[in-house]
Amino acid sequence: MEVITSEAKTASYDTTLLRRIVKITVFTAAFVVVPCFFFYNSAFSFQFLPISAKGKEGYKLDKILKNAAMGDKTVILTTVNEAWAANNSLLDLFLESFRIGNNTQRLLNHLVIITLDPKAYARCTTLHPHCYALKTKEMDFSKEAFFMSHDYLEMMWRRIDFLRSVLKMRYNFIFTDADIMWFRDPFQRFDSKADFQIACDYFNGNSSDVNNSPNGGFTYVKSNDRTIKFYKFWYSSRVNYPGNHDQDVLNKIKHDPFITKIGLKMRFLDTAYFGGFCQRSKDLNLVCTMHANCCVGLGNKIHDLGIMLHDWRKFTSFTPNTNSTSSSWTVPQNCSLKSFHERHSP
């Protein structure tokens, strides 16, 4: 449009120029009237290709989800880019945790790995049967996205919108970051009456208290009208809080009357079962998952998660006659809370 305006100041309004203006006007009108083709928000400056259940991508995704789903249409989802899917990186540790966990290897049959770039997809297909290439427009999500960087924010919000698409396709899901190690089947620890359940950086002892500190890296969500409306509200709320990631925005909207209005039953998961480096699961006899949260840097995560898997192997190597109650985590190390708070203090 800037080129046309400049020409308009220096050229006569001949037939050729008018024809060009008409073409651009028609294109612009089509863009506004049919927003389902592209989404653009200047606050985040990114474009993506939305998933329609009736479109080609929707059909492809539905086929992958259907092949991986449990009997009640529940799937386990994670996302990786090239940096996280590289050899000896987080994806390898993530998959290994399922293999050495207590009754968790079978859950790999229900895991769908969402890849954010071609190299991540190529690596995924060599490791796992259920891989889906999430298409983006003119965005490079392949490199390590540092916490709260521009690329980090865009990946987090792209994830929220994708998960809304999964709910609209009527699949329940556990979403798990790939820097979460799985040691036990988590389903027995979920509240069967809740719609939306989320892990915490810090748990205050009351699973219904919205004053808990949620972490969007692990969620269990049932597909229904309430959760679909909630994810739409969550995603749209990003424009009211520019520069915030999904977790920060969730902390702001969890008190909103809209949550009560739609009847969403939200629960916060106990760190005794769903722990992390912020607040560890102290009892290895209870832990289901452990998250490398409160940790910055891919190398630091890989280092400490490798030690975590070693700790778990040591714990599971105890015989029934051996006292395993004294077992404990030897992490975090490189992911120390002190260094995390020093880097993110005001």
Side-chain angles (χ1 to χ4, degrees), residues 44-49 80-84 115-121 134-146 149-156 158:
F44 294 90
S45 301
F46 71 98
Q47 295 180 343
F48 61 80
L49 301 178
V80 295
N81 60 1
E82 178 187 343
W84 283 38
T115 62
L116 302 177
D117 58 80
K119 288 187 177 180
Y121 180 76
L134 182 61
K135 294 185 177 181
T136 59
K137 182 177 176 63
E138 298 177 357
M139 284 302 304
D140 181 9
F141 289 143
S142 62
K143 306 304 179 187
E144 178 183 1
F146 292 97
S149 66
H150 176 76
D151 288 346
Y152 175 86
L153 293 174
E154 292 184 350
M155 280 200 298
M156 294 303 100
R158 182 66 184 98

Side-chain angles (χ1 to χ4, degrees), residues 13 27 29 37 39 47 50 59 61 63 105 142 171 179 219 224 237-238 244 254 271 288 332:
Y13 290 86
F27 173 81
F37 292 117
F39 177 91
Q47 295 180 343
Y59 174 79
L61 175 60
K63 183 178 179 180
Q105 183 163 355
S142 62
Y171 287 93
D179 62 346
T219 54
N224 55 46
S237 295
R238 78 202 184 287
N244 285 257
K254 64 187 180 181
T271 51
C288 293

Side-chain angles (χ1 to χ4, degrees), residues 20-32:
R20 292 172 62 191
I21 293 173
V22 168
K23 288 181 178 179
I24 292 175
T25 301
V26 171
F27 173 81
T28 303
F31 183 87
V32 173

Side-chain angles (χ1 to χ4, degrees), residues 76-143:
I76 302 169
L77 305 173
T78 193
T79 54
V80 295
N81 60 1
E82 178 187 343
W84 283 38
N87 190 38
N88 295 320
S89 192
L90 290 179
L91 181 58
D92 289 326
L93 295 170
F94 177 70
L95 296 175
E96 180 66 10
S97 74
F98 280 87
R99 298 187 188 106
I100 67 174
N102 185 356
N103 199 29
T104 51
Q105 183 163 355
R106 62 183 178 80
L107 296 177
L108 286 172
N109 297 325
H110 308 295
L111 171 68
V112 177
I113 300 174
I114 312 301
T115 62
L116 302 177
D117 58 80
K119 288 187 177 180
Y121 180 76
R123 179 90 204 292
C124 179
T125 57
T126 68
L127 300 173
H128 192 66
H130 309 304
C131 303
Y132 176 74
L134 182 61
K135 294 185 177 181
T136 59
K137 182 177 176 63
E138 298 177 357
M139 284 302 304
D140 181 9
F141 289 143
S142 62
K143 306 304 179 187

Side-chain angles (χ1 to χ4, degrees), residues 275-291:
F277 291 157
C278 298
Q279 191 175 63
R280 293 183 299 178
S281 299
K282 297 179 181 180
D283 190 344
L284 275 71
N285 291 287
L286 297 177
V287 62
C288 293
T289 63
M290 276 282 285
H291 190 184

